[in-house]
Amino acid sequence: QNNTQEETQKPEEIKTVTIKHELDETTLNVGPEKVMVFDYGVLDALDALEIDVIGLPKSNIPEYLNKYSDEKYADVGTLFEPNFEKIFEMKPDLIIISARQKDLYEEFKAIAPTVYVPLMGNDYMSSFKSNMSILAQIFGIEDKVDEKVSKIETAIKNLNGKVTASGKNALFIMANEGNLSAYGQDSRFGMLYDDFGFIPVDENIDASTHGNKISFEYIVEKNPDYIFVLDRGAVAKTSDNMSAEKLLDNDLMKTTSAYQNGNITYVDPHVWYVATGGINGTLTMVNEVEGSIK
């Protein structure tokens, strides 16, 4: 008889949570302690929420999250080639993966509970909020997450109000090894139009991951009010790569109104390209765009 009574009076019931994600339903204990993360946006969010990790791929850590290159964090492979042996040895309680590891889900899952949190640039805020809600449930920190998310929503609402009132259009381009690509509403940088409020200067840009190759003539012809430039070379750190600013410093560009009005903004490539979907990163994106508005 006594036994059953003791059972019911256990002080620490371990709570579990079941997370539904695109690949599966994953059940795990709330507040996992040994967390591995394969997405830098999620790493940014965990950092902002003061949740520590034990391992991550270290080859592309964005500069602003440099503290994670410290030796106390294990290097568990690359974004595309996880070191499963090492991951297995470290016995994580939770592994968080994103689009780059999607096809390896079963291999991760065989080691530890794994949750898939992709980020859709063409549906940025919904996808960001859904990911944050997953983190809130996993770690039992709903209030803390709500506070961060509503701060971001307010910032975006203010930004969108300003941009919409200005009625201005914009073009998002990426410079990479001397080539330029344009990204439209359905692309990974779609938040510039959908969430931040700019009118796309070209409605017909393909929704491909790599954007549409464009020329300087194209930019002159479209003549956007604002141009946002991501210098991918600055992330890839290839020494022979010409900087985007140098590339865009030419006579054709000088005829555009964006150039003449000082409305060309070089965004932080680590945030926009490597670590999208974080908490601090999303605020950085909002602030960069806000800072560009005249």
Side-chain angles (χ1 to χ4, degrees):
Q1 188 63 46
N2 274 354
N3 281 357
T4 51
Q5 218 173 351
E6 274 173 30
E7 297 283 35
T8 55
Q9 290 173 349
K10 263 195 202 151
E12 281 287 336
E13 279 288 312
I14 292 178
K15 279 201 198 119
T16 61
V17 62
T18 299
I19 301 295
K20 288 185 171 140
H21 52 96
E22 201 184 301
L23 303 180
D24 208 351
E25 285 191 13
T26 303
T27 300
L28 69 155
N29 293 342
V30 173
E33 287 183 2
K34 296 166 75 178
V35 180
M36 271 183 197
V37 65
F38 277 82
D39 179 85
Y40 296 123
V42 173
L43 181 66
D44 164 317
L46 293 176
D47 186 50
L49 296 164
E50 296 167 330
I51 287 165
D52 219 356
V53 301
I54 59 166
L56 70 156
K58 290 185 166 182
S59 49
N60 299 91
I61 298 176
E63 276 166 17
Y64 76 104
L65 292 169
N66 225 353
K67 74 180 204 192
Y68 292 100
S69 42
D70 188 285
E71 270 158 31
K72 70 176 184 179
Y73 302 102
D75 191 355
V76 289
T78 69
L79 291 171
F80 293 99
E81 293 183 356
N83 181 341
F84 286 111
E85 222 168 291
K86 191 159 190 182
I87 296 167
F88 179 76
E89 276 166 23
M90 292 186 71
K91 301 187 169 64
D93 304 322
L94 167 67
I95 303 169
I96 302 176
I97 65 168
S98 191
R100 290 178 174 101
Q101 302 83 32
K102 183 179 185 177
D103 297 343
L104 301 170
Y105 176 72
E106 292 298 329
E107 291 176 65
F108 281 110
K109 180 188 171 179
I111 298 175
T114 300
V115 174
Y116 173 64
V117 290
L119 187 85
M120 307 301 165
N122 58 349
D123 195 10
Y124 189 86
M125 273 316 279
S126 315
S127 141
F128 165 74
K129 277 157 64 176
S130 141
N131 292 349
M132 291 310 109
S133 149
I134 285 175
L135 295 182
Q137 294 168 59
I138 289 175
F139 295 98
I141 49 169
E142 280 84 353
D143 292 354
K144 199 169 189 180
V145 170
D146 284 349
E147 188 191 324
K148 302 275 187 194
V149 170
S150 57
K151 185 178 171 189
I152 289 171
E153 286 186 300
T154 304
I156 288 181
K157 201 176 160 190
N158 292 342
L159 170 60
N160 187 300
K162 281 184 193 171
V163 174
T164 310
S166 77
K168 299 289 190 196
N169 63 38
L171 178 66
F172 193 101
I173 57 181
M174 186 190 286
N176 189 21
E177 294 178 357
N179 295 314
L180 296 177
S181 314
Y183 288 81
Q185 228 167 338
D186 288 327
S187 75
R188 60 188 295 171
F189 304 112
M191 77 292 283
L192 183 68
Y193 314 106
D194 296 332
D195 296 307
F196 300 166
F198 280 101
I199 298 164
V201 73
D202 184 355
E203 297 277 359
N204 304 314
I205 299 175
D206 267 358
S208 82
T209 326
H210 302 293
N212 285 8
K213 272 217 164 133
I214 55 163
S215 61
F216 291 114
E217 285 77 9
Y218 167 91
I219 300 173
V220 171
E221 181 203 327
K222 295 292 175 196
N223 201 17
D225 299 321
Y226 285 83
I227 299 174
F228 294 90
V229 186
L230 188 148
D231 186 349
R232 187 172 178 281
V235 173
K237 298 190 180 76
T238 38
S239 52
D240 55 348
N241 205 344
M242 185 196 285
S243 80
E245 297 197 41
K246 257 200 193 127
L247 184 65
L248 296 183
D249 188 19
N250 61 53
D251 292 343
L252 277 171
M253 285 302 292
K254 286 174 187 169
T255 67
T256 64
S257 55
Y259 183 96
Q260 290 167 3
N261 297 324
N263 289 340
I264 299 178
T265 299
Y266 294 87
V267 299
D268 182 333
H270 294 273
V271 171
W272 288 75
Y273 188 72
V274 188
T276 35
I279 288 175
N280 293 328
T282 301
L283 277 175
T284 299
M285 290 161 75
V286 174
N287 292 338
E288 286 190 331
V289 174
E290 182 129 20
S292 71
I293 296 168
K294 297 279 192 299

